[in-house]
């Protein structure tokens, strides 16, 4: 008989894979590869994500990897910017290229002005320009309009983002630095050839970072379709969730006891933990996910393994807004974790966990209109 995994068991397993049950003694590159990248729409989000996951983390180590072109910022899974190792980028971008092909050929607002354009010519012209010199989107669009003066610059750049594997080069994404995205091709930046990652390898990597999971979960994470045959052909352990949906996992992957303590953790903007499953209730209640989306809230914190509220930071003040009332013990744990300064806005001081130099003041307040945790606990009915 197939073993049933409760939502709490699923949550603990995924937290373990995500290095959120216990901070891991990994180097930065090793962690980035283990996680199959981190969400990177917000340039400094990976620093928060890694601080919450690693036992020792120096933000300059990640900045150094970006400068040395060993990790890159590039659009990959689900059409979103990720920070990944250069090696993974060279395999994942061609694997996920079909996502971008669909976007460029879609009859939507950004792509519609490209109708009738020779896309191969656009790709060739863009590659020539970007491999001669990294360019911002504005400069790239202006140069492309010299060849296609009757086309919209924004649409031409949009098309190139889909046609070519483009990386955002430093200083974008460096610790304590800022700057608009400046683009070049992945091949030019890394000097490495592109070769599609085997879908079976991608599935195995996903399960190592997010499992156990259903076929629908794998597809939601990757943005790809038709992965059912790939998953079923692998020598995987099989389970079911409480709703009866089939789940797959690596046979020897960690599946901790559901009662394993889960410490408070602050998640980065759009953290992959919250967006990499079709059914996300193992870590966030549907009502809370909807609430965050409606109010454009992108950062959550975890208490006892599930999203318990949101947080923002400005001018050294960390504001924590729980979905419901925190116990005295949980409130103290949230304040202590926040005061440790790892989530301080990128800038002037090293990441610390003792709070002595953080300069962060933690304020806990109830956000008006938030759904109460007691009425919207995660479940596996979906």
């Amino acid at each position: 008989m197939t073993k049933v995994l409760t939502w709490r068991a699923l949550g603990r397993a995924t937290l373990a894979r995500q290095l959120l049950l216990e901070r891991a003694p990994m180097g930065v590159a090793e962690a980035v590869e283990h996680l199959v990248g981190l969400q990177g729409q917000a340039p400094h989000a990976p620093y928060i994500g890694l601080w919450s996951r690693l036992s020792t983390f120096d933000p300059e180590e990640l900045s150094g990897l970006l400068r040395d072109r060993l990790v890159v910022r590039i659009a990959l899974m689900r059409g979103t910017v990720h920070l990944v190792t250069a090696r993974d980028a060279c395999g994942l971008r061609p694997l996920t290229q079909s996502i971008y092909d669909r976007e460029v050929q879609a009859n939507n607002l950004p792509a519609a002005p490209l109708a009738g354009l020779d896309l191969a010519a656009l790709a060739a012209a863009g590659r020539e320009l970007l491999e001669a010199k990294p360019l911002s989107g504005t400069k790239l669009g202006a140069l492309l309009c010299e060849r296609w003066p009757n086309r919209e610059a924004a649409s031409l750049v949009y098309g190139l983002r889909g046609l070519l594997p483009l990386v955002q080069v430093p200083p974008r994404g460096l610790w304590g630095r800022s700057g608009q995205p400046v683009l070049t091709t992945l091949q030019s930046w890394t000097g490495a050839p592109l070769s599609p990652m085997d879908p079976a390898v991608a599935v195995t990597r996903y399960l190592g970072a997010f499992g156990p999971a259903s076929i629908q979960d794998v597809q939601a994470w990757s943005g790809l379709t038709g992965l059912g045959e790939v998953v079923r052909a692998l020598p995987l352990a099989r389970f079911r969730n409480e709703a009866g949906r089939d789940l797959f996992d690596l046979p020897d992957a960690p599946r901790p006891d559901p009662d394993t303590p889960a410490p408070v953790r602050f998640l980065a903007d759009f953290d992959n933990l919250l967006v990499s499953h079709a059914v996300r209730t193992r870590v966030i209640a549907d009502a809370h996910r909807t609430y965050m989306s409606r109010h454009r809230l992108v950062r959550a914190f975890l208490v006892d393994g599930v999203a318990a509220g949101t947080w923002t930071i400005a001018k050294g003040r960390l504001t924590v807004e729980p979905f419901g009332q925190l116990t005295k013990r949980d409130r103290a744990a949230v304040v202590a974790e926040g005061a440790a300064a790892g989530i301080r806005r990128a800038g002037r001081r090293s990441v610390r966990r003792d709070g002595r130099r953080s300069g962060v003041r933690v304020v806990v307040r109830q956000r008006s209109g938030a759904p109460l945790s007691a009425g919207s606990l995660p479940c596996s009915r979906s």
Side-chain angles (χ1 to χ4, degrees):
M1 182 176 178
T2 304
K3 182 178 179 179
V4 174
L5 298 177
T6 65
W7 70 262
R8 189 176 176 91
L10 287 172
R12 290 302 192 267
T14 302
L15 291 173
R17 318 290 171 87
Q18 283 287 298
L19 315 181
L20 290 166
L21 271 189
E22 184 177 359
R23 286 184 166 100
M26 288 184 181
V28 170
E30 181 185 1
V32 171
E33 200 151 273
H34 166 79
L35 296 165
V36 204
L38 295 99
Q39 283 271 20
Q41 294 102 308
H44 294 114
Y47 293 90
I48 301 168
L50 289 170
W51 175 80
S52 288
R53 290 169 165 88
L54 300 183
S55 56
T56 58
F57 172 59
D58 180 355
E60 289 300 335
E61 183 180 351
L62 177 54
S63 289
L65 292 171
L66 278 164
R67 292 190 191 95
D68 293 340
R69 311 186 185 194
L70 297 176
V71 301
V72 296
R73 295 172 44 79
I74 183 172
L76 295 171
M77 290 76 71
R78 304 182 303 282
T80 58
V81 175
H82 280 72
L83 180 135
V84 295
T85 62
R87 176 169 55 185
D88 273 354
C90 290
L92 286 168
R93 179 53 195 248
L95 175 66
T96 57
Q97 182 58 41
S98 61
I99 299 171
Y100 300 93
D101 293 340
R102 290 195 301 268
E103 288 184 356
V104 172
Q105 296 164 10
N107 187 26
N108 56 26
L109 185 61
L114 298 175
L117 183 66
D118 184 340
L119 296 180
L122 174 62
R127 183 180 294 277
E128 182 178 359
L129 289 169
L130 292 170
E131 293 187 348
K133 179 183 179 181
L135 297 168
S136 69
T138 300
K139 292 180 180 178
L140 175 61
L143 292 170
L144 291 171
C145 280
E146 292 179 4
R147 176 164 178 178
W148 289 281
N150 297 322
R151 300 283 181 168
E152 297 178 6
S155 293
L156 293 172
V157 174
Y158 173 86
L160 272 185
R161 291 178 190 271
L163 294 168
L164 299 177
L166 302 182
V167 297
Q168 300 179 358
V169 305
R172 182 80 167 176
L174 296 182
W175 180 247
R177 301 284 300 276
S178 62
Q180 63 179 322
V182 176
L183 308 170
T184 190
T185 65
L186 175 60
Q187 301 99 311
S188 175
W189 187 248
T190 64
L194 272 59
S195 179
M197 183 179 290
D198 186 329
V201 173
V203 169
T204 300
R205 295 279 303 280
Y206 167 78
L207 291 174
F210 297 96
S214 68
I215 292 169
Q216 293 84 355
D217 290 330
V218 181
Q219 295 181 158
W221 163 76
S222 64
L224 301 173
T225 59
L227 294 177
E229 290 186 9
V230 175
V231 174
R232 295 187 187 96
L234 288 168
L236 300 172
R238 297 197 176 199
F239 304 93
R240 287 200 180 109
N241 67 12
E242 292 171 294
R245 177 169 290 183
D246 290 332
L247 302 173
F248 301 85
D249 201 8
L250 305 178
D252 298 326
R255 288 179 286 275
D257 187 294
D259 292 325
T260 300
V264 169
R265 291 288 184 261
F266 283 82
L267 301 181
D269 310 47
F270 308 104
D271 198 288
N272 271 339
L273 176 73
L274 300 183
V275 298
S276 296
H277 299 88
V279 178
R280 302 171 186 176
T281 50
R282 66 182 68 189
V283 289
I284 185 169
D286 287 336
H288 295 156
R289 178 170 57 85
T290 301
Y291 175 80
M292 289 184 65
S293 177
R294 181 183 302 125
H295 293 277
R296 300 183 180 181
L297 302 169
V298 299
R299 299 168 178 164
F301 65 91
L302 305 177
V303 174
D304 194 27
V306 295
T310 63
W311 65 272
T312 56
I313 190 166
K315 297 181 180 180
R317 172 173 165 158
L318 172 66
T319 301
V320 175
E321 298 181 313
F323 294 135
Q325 293 295 324
L326 297 175
T327 67
K328 184 176 181 179
R329 181 177 181 179
D330 288 341
R331 181 188 179 100
V334 168
V335 170
E337 182 76 356
I343 56 177
R344 180 170 184 172
R345 196 173 177 118
R348 284 56 93 183
R349 297 180 183 176
S350 300
V351 172
R352 300 179 62 89
R353 294 200 181 89
D354 58 18
R356 287 180 296 167
R357 294 170 50 203
S358 74
V360 172
R361 184 163 61 94
V362 182
V363 176
V364 181
R365 71 183 186 193
Q366 180 67 43
R367 187 179 181 95
S368 176
L372 295 177
S373 296
S376 51
L377 289 173
C379 65
S380 57
R381 291 193 297 268
S382 301

